[in-house]
Amino acid sequence: GQSDVMRSPARFLGAIAGTGGGKTALGPIWLAVQIREQPGQAWLVVAPTYKILSRATIPALLATFSDSDLRGRYMPSRNVYLLPGHGDDDTKNIIYFVSADNPLGLEGGQYAGAWIDEGGQISMRAWVAIQGRLGLHEGRCLITTTPYNLGWLKTQFFDRYRKGDPDYYVRQWDSTANPAYPRDEFERAKRTMGKQRFRMRYCGQFERGVGLVYPDLE
């Protein structure tokens, strides 16, 4: 699944997979390729909340970049990562980390590309704002996430891909596509969890009715 996403030429990419399936690990690798192909640009990394950003998204990027030619300097006070070659111009060789819990915080600036971690949790308003930040450069965007509901990610992203829109590409896979993920844990969840919730959380599939008292009611 990771390889298919990396090879896709589409502008808007979705890596939608089960928990522990390697989604967040893909984000920094994909972003590194974009940075190497377009040096001297500003980039955007987004997570739904600051807690997710600081606990999972930023550490994944720092770990990936630490032993590469993109090793730079993370400044937590500004929530930015200064790439090699960064000078005084904050529109070049810099990555901005932003949480999407306040969509207004996403306004301003133009970026060559964006990675949205756990994108299924951000609002439609935040997604519209991110697209606006990519407009000038026609920047690409990768969303890595588990599906959480049938909101905009399904109707405005996944469904566009299914209808053949060439700007969109989505790849879905199970948690166990990651060879490090325990098969026993996957089977335990399958045995003890509702079918719809299991397919969303562990198979990366969109399902209707999760959390409803009568999920099959039309």
Side-chain angles (χ1 to χ4, degrees), residues 12-210:
F12 300 112
L13 304 163
I16 302 177
T19 180
K23 307 175 300 297
T24 298
L26 171 64
I29 299 172
W30 178 84
L31 187 62
V33 172
Q34 309 310 306
I35 293 170
R36 291 190 178 113
E37 291 179 349
Q38 301 181 71
Q41 302 290 341
W43 306 87
L44 183 65
V45 172
V46 180
T49 65
Y50 181 75
K51 284 186 177 181
I52 295 176
L53 192 68
S54 59
R55 185 180 63 214
T57 312
I58 293 175
L61 185 143
L62 297 181
T64 302
F65 283 21
S66 64
D67 293 325
S68 78
D69 60 322
L70 296 178
R71 182 174 182 176
R73 183 160 59 101
Y74 173 51
M75 300 182 66
S77 61
R78 295 178 55 197
N79 247 15
V80 298
Y81 185 87
L82 306 182
L83 292 160
H86 176 78
D88 296 329
D89 187 351
D90 276 356
T91 65
K92 297 181 179 179
N93 294 314
I94 188 169
I95 301 172
Y96 286 90
F97 298 107
V98 182
S99 66
D101 42 6
N102 177 14
L104 291 176
L106 292 163
E107 299 293 354
Q110 289 291 325
Y111 305 95
W115 165 37
I116 308 174
D117 194 25
E118 294 300 345
Q121 294 187 34
I122 74 171
S123 68
M124 178 64 182
R125 185 176 178 182
W127 171 233
V128 169
I130 292 168
Q131 291 178 77
R133 300 307 99 218
L134 299 173
L136 182 64
H137 300 287
E138 294 182 296
R140 303 182 75 201
C141 179
L142 168 65
I143 295 176
T144 56
T145 191
T146 296
Y148 295 95
N149 50 52
L150 300 183
W152 69 266
L153 184 65
K154 168 68 166 58
T155 61
Q156 302 299 317
F157 200 103
F158 179 75
D159 287 353
R160 291 181 187 276
Y161 161 67
R162 290 293 295 271
K163 291 175 182 177
D165 189 326
D167 280 340
Y168 293 81
Y169 175 79
V170 174
R171 181 68 158 81
Q172 296 165 280
W173 65 89
D174 293 354
S175 300
T176 52
N178 177 0
Y181 196 86
R183 185 76 198 189
D184 288 347
E185 173 61 15
F186 183 82
E187 294 298 334
R188 182 204 63 78
K190 184 178 182 180
R191 186 175 63 252
T192 60
M193 194 173 289
K195 179 181 177 181
Q196 287 92 345
R197 191 176 300 279
F198 171 77
R199 282 179 54 78
M200 292 186 83
R201 294 289 298 175
Y202 290 85
C203 301
Q205 301 295 320
F206 290 99
E207 290 286 339
R208 58 183 293 275
V210 173

